[in-house]
Amino acid sequence: MKLEPSFYRRKNVVSVAKSLIGKLLVTTIEGSQTSGIIVETEAYSWRERGCHAYGGRKTARNEVMFEEGGRAYVYLCYGVHNLFNVVTNQRGVADAVLVRAIEPVTGLENMYRRRGQVSLYQLTSGPGKLTRALGIDRTYNGKVLYDDDVWIEDIGMKINSKHIEAGKRIGIDYAGDDANLPWRFMMKGNRWISRI
DNA sequence: TACGTGATCACG
DNA sequence: GTGATCACGTAA
């Protein structure tokens, strides 16, 4: 069953990032569905330097982060990759969770068609790879996550802290000390974790 | 380990 | 207008 708006509107973005592990991310494009279990996330809060909205800085790109929780924030990274985030918290508080990796579940054929000739474990094991596999591009920016193009559902997977590993977030050296926050969460032992 | 890639943002 | 920057992926 789809996660409800109240799931995303909680005030602690780190909790939301943790509880997204084990949920199913789904897209439906032209009637065909692709999905995967979320196995890696990162939390971003306006209060720290890693975040696009640090200090409340609002720009054309990150505007949707200031909306109520429950929308997609998709932006282009390094001119090549679309990165998919889940906006959290209440309106005006710019927090979000980056989905960094999923374990493929349905629509594998479509995923390979979009990704090209890669191995199973490379199919969705990174933030740019998974958006490519699921067909997520910037037209998804601002979409609500309880509609029918893209959503996240609870499939009853029981996850507790024993199954989750935390670490430093990846690729944000510019954030100074905030780069050391343990706000990256991974499903322990999963084969689709993005990198060591 | 190196670099392609192009939108974005803070400057004027 | 312009240039530095960047929440990555791939080949090597």
Side-chain angles (χ1 to χ4, degrees), chain A residues 60-117:
Chain A
R61 179 178 67 165
N62 71 12
E63 203 170 8
V64 69
M65 289 187 74
F66 290 80
E67 293 290 325
E68 280 183 309
R71 288 176 186 269
Y73 169 42
V74 182
Y75 71 94
L76 189 68
C77 182
Y78 293 104
V80 188
H81 312 290
N82 292 297
L83 268 53
F84 174 80
N85 298 256
V86 172
V87 174
T88 71
N89 219 315
Q90 43 198 339
R91 184 181 297 275
V93 185
D95 293 348
V97 176
L98 170 66
V99 177
R100 286 192 58 88
I102 62 174
E103 173 177 336
V105 174
T106 59
L108 285 270
E109 216 166 277
N110 274 314
M111 295 194 203
Y112 279 115
R113 181 174 53 76
R114 296 180 182 126
R115 284 275 291 133
Q117 205 82 20

Side-chain angles (χ1 to χ4, degrees), chain A residues 9-161:
Chain A
R9 293 178 189 168
R10 286 178 287 160
K11 294 184 180 174
N12 186 339
V13 66
V14 173
S15 305
V16 177
K18 274 189 227 173
S19 51
L20 280 170
I21 301 290
K23 302 294 193 286
L24 190 72
L25 173 61
V26 188
T27 59
T28 301
I29 298 171
E30 291 168 1
S32 63
Q33 181 170 295
T34 48
S35 74
I37 298 166
I38 297 172
V39 299
E40 181 178 344
T41 61
E42 282 178 357
Y44 287 88
S45 161
W46 68 277
R47 283 175 282 264
E48 45 84 21
R49 307 191 94 88
C51 185
H52 289 165
Y54 173 58
R57 186 182 63 135
K58 191 177 197 173
T59 67
R61 179 178 67 165
N62 71 12
E63 203 170 8
V64 69
M65 289 187 74
F66 290 80
E67 293 290 325
E68 280 183 309
R71 288 176 186 269
Y73 169 42
V74 182
Y75 71 94
L76 189 68
C77 182
Y78 293 104
V80 188
H81 312 290
N82 292 297
L83 268 53
F84 174 80
N85 298 256
V86 172
V87 174
T88 71
N89 219 315
Q90 43 198 339
R91 184 181 297 275
V93 185
D95 293 348
V97 176
L98 170 66
V99 177
R100 286 192 58 88
I102 62 174
E103 173 177 336
V105 174
T106 59
L108 285 270
E109 216 166 277
N110 274 314
M111 295 194 203
Y112 279 115
R113 181 174 53 76
R114 296 180 182 126
R115 284 275 291 133
Q117 205 82 20
V118 296
S119 78
L120 178 59
Y121 297 121
Q122 289 178 17
L123 191 56
T124 54
S125 56
K129 297 177 190 175
L130 75 92
T131 53
R132 186 71 179 264
L134 297 187
I136 295 173
D137 58 24
R138 275 163 298 157
T139 65
Y140 281 69
N141 190 45
K143 279 187 190 284
V144 295
L145 295 175
Y146 28 88
D147 212 341
D148 289 330
D149 292 333
V150 56
W151 69 88
I152 300 177
E153 55 182 69
D154 190 340
I155 51 172
M157 204 168 175
K158 301 291 182 200
I159 301 285
N160 60 46
S161 53

